[in-house]
Amino acid sequence: DKKARIVLSLLTVLFSATALSLAYVGTLDCHYVSFTSRNEEYEMKAGLWSYLNNSYDHGDSVISESCQRYPADVDIDATWKAARAFSVLAAIFGSILFLFSLVV
């Protein structure tokens, strides 16, 4: 049935676009993982490519938050490099498959 194929095609494109968008957000966002100190005074948020940098006023109040690239002196181990590599591969293959779903 032609109508069922059109609906299936639109659903495929919709789900592909959603998955690709979430993959990009998960890869590029600096809120991927969160660490809290034992006394819960400090929380660090980080991603594969960047971390959350907080600016404080003279007290404990946060006045601004921004994602910053990791400095060059940060030691990136093999597991972290593999996670970064697979996030790039997922974005590349996801983009290709999304474009393919639009054409076919």
Side-chain angles (χ1 to χ4, degrees), residues 56-75:
Y56 296 92
D57 62 4
H58 295 290
D60 291 336
S61 300
V62 175
I63 56 173
S64 71
E65 294 182 334
S66 63
C67 290
Q68 301 289 321
R69 301 285 250 166
Y70 290 105
D73 61 343
V74 172
D75 184 31

Side-chain angles (χ1 to χ4, degrees), residues 23-93:
Y24 275 114
V25 168
T27 298
L28 300 176
D29 192 29
C30 62
H31 297 85
Y32 187 74
V33 66
S34 177
F35 302 98
T36 305
S37 64
R38 290 188 182 173
N39 56 4
E40 297 184 6
E41 289 182 9
Y42 182 74
E43 182 179 29
M44 179 185 173
K45 295 180 180 178
L48 293 174
W49 300 92
S50 60
Y51 67 97
L52 184 66
N53 185 21
N54 295 325
S55 298
Y56 296 92
D57 62 4
H58 295 290
D60 291 336
S61 300
V62 175
I63 56 173
S64 71
E65 294 182 334
S66 63
C67 290
Q68 301 289 321
R69 301 285 250 166
Y70 290 105
D73 61 343
V74 172
D75 184 31
I76 299 174
D77 64 358
T79 305
W80 195 350
K81 288 179 183 177
R84 283 180 160 189
F86 281 107
S87 73
V88 170
L89 288 173
I92 290 170
F93 287 123

